[in-house]
Amino acid sequence: MVSLYSYTEEKDKGEKYVVALTQETEEKGEKDIMSEKEVATERDDVDVDGIDVKGIVLLPSNVPSLFLSRTAYCLSYNKETRCPNWVAWNLTADHVDGEWGRSNDYREDYKVPAPRATNEDYRGSSWSRGHMCPAGDCKWDANAMSETFLLSNMCPQDRNLNSGLWNRIEMDCRKWAQRYGSVYIVCGPLLYNKEHETIGMNKVVVPEAFFKVVLCLQGQSKAIGFIVKNNAGTKKKDQYVNTIDEVERLTGYDFFSSLPDSIEEKVEAYSSLDDWR
């Protein structure tokens, strides 16, 4: 059974964010508070076991969030948009390839409340079913692969963006995981208009843009962010690069808060593709 997590938190700024994870099981109705792991070192070569992917993003309290844990990734689902707020996973060198090909079993996710996205919502629209955690990152396990085709892991995405720029960034992430051994990835939709286009009977919201942030803790810690409008994405890749600080400003989310402050401030303030080549 998939574990569900609810989040609550209070920061000094008076805004509410997530800081504890409450695991709820349908069988027992029990709540087991799980605090985030602390990183015990100030070195740049941070022990990756100290980063809990489940607590990698802190959300404002006014954002609807249902937390779901999958084989390869976890996500915060938004019942109002019928899309994820974010999807996060730790991609390792061992997981960049495998024997399992695309399952293509696109399906609605019965673990999220109705109304929810269905294949019928996408049918006849001009939008593709855009993976957040890509199938290409999950060739190592049949179940992991299949779970990437749950519609709760997808957003309506421009077809050319899906097969073009977004796919190239996904391939870069796999290349970086191979090179450095492990990277942490978070991505999701960006909604900045007051009103949003929707598709289908279930009114699945079409994002105006997407974000992706990538963190590497091997050797000299570094991070990079991307903001990509939901269109064909024909510019050079480096024109979509943003700092994590800028992605946080645009989304209202707090990424990688469990890192030591000295490292978090450094990696979030600067991003360059040159550091990843």
Side-chain angles (χ1 to χ4, degrees), residues 239-263:
Q239 293 183 273
Y240 299 97
V241 171
N242 285 261
T243 65
I244 308 304
D245 283 340
E246 181 63 10
V247 179
E248 288 182 331
R249 185 187 70 80
L250 291 170
T251 60
Y253 303 167
D254 185 4
F255 301 101
F256 314 132
S257 63
S258 62
L259 287 173
D261 288 343
S262 59
I263 295 177

Side-chain angles (χ1 to χ4, degrees), residues 1-5 22-25 54 66-70 111:
M1 178 169 294
V2 176
S3 298
L4 306 182
Y5 297 78
T22 306
Q23 186 176 16
E24 300 176 348
T25 63
K54 296 183 180 69
L66 172 64
F67 190 91
L68 296 171
S69 181
R70 307 296 191 196
K111 293 295 183 181

Side-chain angles (χ1 to χ4, degrees), residues 157-250:
Q157 191 172 58
D158 182 274
R159 297 179 187 277
N160 292 322
L161 175 63
N162 192 351
S163 61
L165 175 64
W166 194 250
N167 182 51
R168 292 196 297 275
I169 295 173
E170 291 172 345
M171 290 190 291
D172 281 342
C173 290
R174 288 192 282 274
K175 179 176 64 180
W176 297 335
Q178 262 186 328
R179 179 180 301 164
Y180 301 113
S182 173
V183 292
Y184 291 87
I185 306 168
V186 188
C187 69
L190 187 57
L191 305 171
Y192 51 76
N193 290 343
K194 291 183 178 179
E195 296 184 0
H196 314 289
E197 179 182 346
T198 63
I199 59 171
M201 183 181 298
N202 293 302
K203 299 188 181 302
V204 182
V205 168
V206 178
E208 285 80 55
F210 295 93
F211 71 87
K212 178 167 282 190
V213 296
V214 186
L215 171 69
C216 176
L217 296 175
Q218 306 296 328
Q220 192 74 15
S221 299
K222 57 190 172 186
I224 191 167
F226 298 90
I227 297 290
V228 180
K229 286 189 176 181
N230 198 0
N231 55 33
T234 56
K235 299 178 182 177
K236 291 183 178 179
K237 197 187 312 174
D238 58 3
Q239 293 183 273
Y240 299 97
V241 171
N242 285 261
T243 65
I244 308 304
D245 283 340
E246 181 63 10
V247 179
E248 288 182 331
R249 185 187 70 80
L250 291 170

Side-chain angles (χ1 to χ4, degrees), residues 7-234:
Y7 291 68
T8 56
E9 181 210 21
E10 187 81 29
K11 269 198 172 181
D12 291 339
K13 291 187 281 187
E15 299 176 355
K16 291 183 178 178
Y17 288 82
V18 179
V19 45
L21 301 171
T22 306
Q23 186 176 16
E24 300 176 348
T25 63
E26 293 179 7
E27 296 92 343
K28 299 180 181 180
E30 297 174 341
K31 292 186 178 180
D32 179 25
I33 301 298
M34 302 162 53
S35 60
E36 293 177 308
K37 297 179 181 178
E38 294 182 353
V39 180
T41 176
E42 291 289 335
R43 295 180 297 115
D44 266 8
D45 190 11
V46 177
D47 177 6
V48 295
D49 289 336
I51 304 298
D52 185 357
V53 72
K54 296 183 180 69
I56 206 166
V57 187
L58 306 182
L59 287 176
S61 63
N62 63 345
V63 177
S65 177
L66 172 64
F67 190 91
L68 296 171
S69 181
R70 307 296 191 196
T71 303
Y73 64 88
C74 58
L75 74 149
S76 164
Y77 177 79
N78 190 317
K79 66 180 181 180
E80 294 183 358
T81 64
R82 288 43 148 175
C83 293
N85 294 312
W86 55 262
V87 181
W89 64 104
N90 177 206
L91 182 60
T92 64
D94 292 340
H95 286 174
V96 297
D97 207 353
E99 62 180 294
W100 300 98
R102 288 175 63 95
S103 59
N104 289 324
D105 51 341
Y106 294 93
R107 62 198 185 278
E108 63 184 291
D109 187 350
Y110 292 102
K111 293 295 183 181
V112 304
R116 54 182 169 259
T118 68
N119 286 317
E120 189 63 31
D121 291 319
Y122 284 86
R123 192 168 290 117
S125 79
S126 61
W127 302 97
S128 69
R129 295 165 292 193
H131 282 74
M132 295 296 98
C133 179
D137 286 8
C138 296
K139 297 177 181 178
W140 52 276
D141 182 87
N143 195 51
M145 169 63 72
S146 179
E147 287 176 342
T148 67
F149 287 90
L150 288 165
L151 293 181
S152 56
N153 179 48
M154 300 186 188
C155 299
Q157 191 172 58
D158 182 274
R159 297 179 187 277
N160 292 322
L161 175 63
N162 192 351
S163 61
L165 175 64
W166 194 250
N167 182 51
R168 292 196 297 275
I169 295 173
E170 291 172 345
M171 290 190 291
D172 281 342
C173 290
R174 288 192 282 274
K175 179 176 64 180
W176 297 335
Q178 262 186 328
R179 179 180 301 164
Y180 301 113
S182 173
V183 292
Y184 291 87
I185 306 168
V186 188
C187 69
L190 187 57
L191 305 171
Y192 51 76
N193 290 343
K194 291 183 178 179
E195 296 184 0
H196 314 289
E197 179 182 346
T198 63
I199 59 171
M201 183 181 298
N202 293 302
K203 299 188 181 302
V204 182
V205 168
V206 178
E208 285 80 55
F210 295 93
F211 71 87
K212 178 167 282 190
V213 296
V214 186
L215 171 69
C216 176
L217 296 175
Q218 306 296 328
Q220 192 74 15
S221 299
K222 57 190 172 186
I224 191 167
F226 298 90
I227 297 290
V228 180
K229 286 189 176 181
N230 198 0
N231 55 33
T234 56

